[in-house]
Amino acid sequence: DIQMTQSPSSLSASVGERVTITCRASQSIGSFLNWYQQKPGKAPVLLIYLASSLHSGVPSRFSGSGSGTDFTLTISSLRPEDFASYYCQQNYSPPYTFGQGTELEIK
Amino acid sequence: QVQLQESGPGPVKPSGTLSLTCAVSGGSVVTTSRWSWVRQPPGKGLEWIGETHHSGNTNYSPSLKGRVTISVDEVNNQLTLKLTSVTAADTAVYYCARAIPSLDVWGPGTTVIVSS
């Protein structure tokens, strides 16, 4: 199985700040990397697919980059509604594993 | 647009079988898309369970292989998930999702508690 490791596991930030979350794959996955946002009690929502493509309806302050084994999700200027958990997922090879998640909290 | 809704029978006893359905509305389950199940134990992260295509082609997580079956029910336009020999470790919120192959549409999830 391909292991996905996110860092940090938790992050405190303020509204308006720029934040970056990192995801590392245990082997090369090309650009087959997705990012999801999940709020408490709700289903995850797709933000980014193929490492850097913004899903329909997702605000442009979200961006993704990377290829191979190292990927990042960046939120350019945090808004109150962005405080949530974020997960990366590889869909290069089944099982399509998720990272352990990053909890983004208000400072 | 496509919407998904999971449903299940409620609590499941240890060693029993967990059976869930996922109703697909606003579209057909017979498409080029694949369909996935993901679960989330209380207070923990997301775990990919497996996926299927209406052709019958499936992939499962090795950690659940041998216990899990995912299938498409074309007649009722829904997906099904069966997990046998359940234990308390299978207690989780279970989600179905459309895979294109990123998971772009999710159901709201259904909570399954394994308890005697």
Side-chain angles (χ1 to χ4, degrees), chain A residues 1 34 36 38 42-44 46 49 55 87 89 91 94-100, chain B residues 38 40 44-48 51 59-62 95 101-104 106-108:
Chain A
D1 299 4
N34 309 306
Y36 303 89
Q38 186 182 32
K42 300 294 187 183
L46 177 65
Y49 63 97
H55 183 54
Y87 294 90
Q89 181 211 22
N91 59 353
Y96 298 129
T97 41
F98 289 91
Q100 81 278 16
Chain B
V38 174
Q40 186 169 37
K44 296 189 178 181
L46 302 170
E47 179 185 7
W48 186 83
E51 65 170 7
N59 289 299
Y60 298 125
S61 172
Y95 298 99
S102 52
L103 304 178
D104 72 325
W106 295 66

Side-chain angles (χ1 to χ4, degrees), chain A residues 25-41:
Chain A
S26 60
Q27 67 182 73
S28 178
I29 59 171
S31 295
F32 293 97
L33 192 282
N34 309 306
W35 289 98
Y36 303 89
Q37 177 194 66
Q38 186 182 32
K39 296 182 178 178

Side-chain angles (χ1 to χ4, degrees), chain B residues 13-90:
Chain B
K13 293 192 185 309
S15 77
T17 296
L18 180 165
S19 295
L20 299 177
T21 60
C22 171
V24 179
S25 59
S28 173
V29 74
V30 179
T31 72
T32 55
S33 302
R34 304 182 71 84
W35 304 94
S36 297
W37 287 92
V38 174
R39 70 181 182 178
Q40 186 169 37
K44 296 189 178 181
L46 302 170
E47 179 185 7
W48 186 83
I49 297 172
E51 65 170 7
T52 191
H53 184 262
H54 71 86
S55 64
N57 183 255
T58 58
N59 289 299
Y60 298 125
S61 172
S63 68
L64 298 172
K65 213 164 188 176
R67 295 202 294 136
V68 62
T69 304
I70 297 173
S71 60
V72 165
D73 177 352
E74 297 181 26
V75 172
N76 294 300
N77 207 40
Q78 64 185 20
L79 323 175
T80 65
L81 169 71
K82 290 192 190 308
L83 185 65
T84 62
S85 303
V86 298
T87 70
D90 296 309

